[in-house]
Amino acid sequence: ALIGCSTVSAANGPGLGASVTQNGISTAKNILTPYVFKFIKDINIPEIDFDGGKLKNIEIQVPEPDTKNININLDNKENGLELQANSVQATLNTDFTFKYFISVSGKAAVNIKKLNLDAEFDASTQPGTPATDLAPMVTVSKINVDINPDDIDITLSGGLVAKIASVFIPLFKSTLIPLIVSNLEDTVKSTISTTIDADLKLYGSQ
């Protein structure tokens, strides 16, 4: 198993703990990668406000990458795993309103040619099913998404967008992408933590 329960010795006597097994590392790419990316492949963020305008109906698609772009590292100190995904392609579509002398509304289609993801998962235990059993518990301790502005292309559509494109596109790359990334990280971390622990509570002790 990738994450299992085992007997451990502690200062207050023997107990049960969760551990990440070395044998599990060899299959982690095939287990953890699709599980993580099923939550990332289609993310919706309702709205982000910024100075001068707002983004609405933000849709982000991050397809599961080839496993050659995935690295899995064992973190013995935190009893967990680190998943690194490099050079992942993604797309982002959003409605926008931006005021620069005039108010302009339109759509932005963003092609992200290279996205890097760094996620850490720490293992512990929780009551299982039934509650007298002990099941693994996984905490998403870190989700970092890195997008270099030089690795994205932005296409604007809608009336009058040509009048603000020279200002809005650089603003999108320098200011709005970091705001979107922050929201994306929070959404993914919350969703994975909630869902994976519910699954482990139900199935992890079986």
Side-chain angles (χ1 to χ4, degrees):
L2 177 62
I3 300 175
C5 291
S6 60
T7 302
V8 296
S9 296
N12 58 354
L16 285 172
S19 62
V20 179
T21 63
Q22 187 61 48
N23 288 339
I25 299 298
S26 62
T27 58
K29 281 188 180 184
N30 297 325
I31 297 173
L32 194 58
T33 301
Y35 193 90
V36 169
F37 275 88
K38 79 175 183 178
F39 300 107
I40 305 177
K41 67 179 182 180
D42 192 8
I43 296 289
N44 295 288
I45 301 173
E47 184 174 318
I48 295 178
D49 296 325
F50 61 94
D51 186 21
K54 67 175 60 177
L55 304 179
K56 295 187 68 174
N57 305 318
I58 305 161
E59 299 177 350
I60 305 170
Q61 289 82 37
V62 187
E64 181 183 337
D66 192 293
T67 53
K68 69 181 182 180
N69 293 329
I70 301 292
N71 293 317
I72 301 290
N73 302 308
L74 180 62
D75 185 352
N76 290 312
K77 182 179 179 180
E78 299 296 335
N79 191 32
L81 289 171
E82 180 182 31
L83 181 149
Q84 295 176 322
N86 300 310
S87 300
V88 179
Q89 295 182 340
T91 59
L92 184 156
N93 292 279
T94 182
D95 299 326
F96 73 86
T97 301
F98 180 59
K99 187 174 183 180
Y100 183 70
F101 297 112
I102 60 172
S103 183
V104 177
S105 297
K107 295 181 179 293
V110 183
N111 178 34
I112 303 170
K113 294 175 285 186
K114 186 183 297 183
L115 174 153
N116 297 322
L117 171 71
D118 187 1
E120 290 185 1
F121 305 87
D122 299 335
S124 57
T125 58
Q126 64 178 328
T129 304
T132 52
D133 290 342
L134 204 61
M137 178 176 179
V138 173
T139 301
V140 183
S141 58
K142 181 180 75 173
I143 292 280
N144 286 342
V145 176
D146 179 59
I147 301 174
N148 188 322
D150 293 335
D151 293 325
I152 66 175
D153 294 323
I154 302 172
T155 301
L156 305 181
S157 59
L160 302 178
V161 296
K163 295 183 178 296
I164 52 94
S166 62
V167 174
F168 187 63
I169 288 179
L171 175 71
F172 203 110
K173 290 185 176 184
S174 64
T175 302
L176 301 188
I177 285 295
L179 290 176
I180 293 169
V181 165
S182 179
N183 277 264
L184 174 63
E185 290 172 340
D186 290 343
T187 300
V188 171
K189 185 175 181 179
S190 175
T191 302
I192 293 179
S193 294
T194 302
T195 307
I196 194 172
D197 280 337
D199 288 348
L200 288 171
K201 182 174 184 178
L202 182 60
Y203 303 112
S205 56
Q206 299 178 1

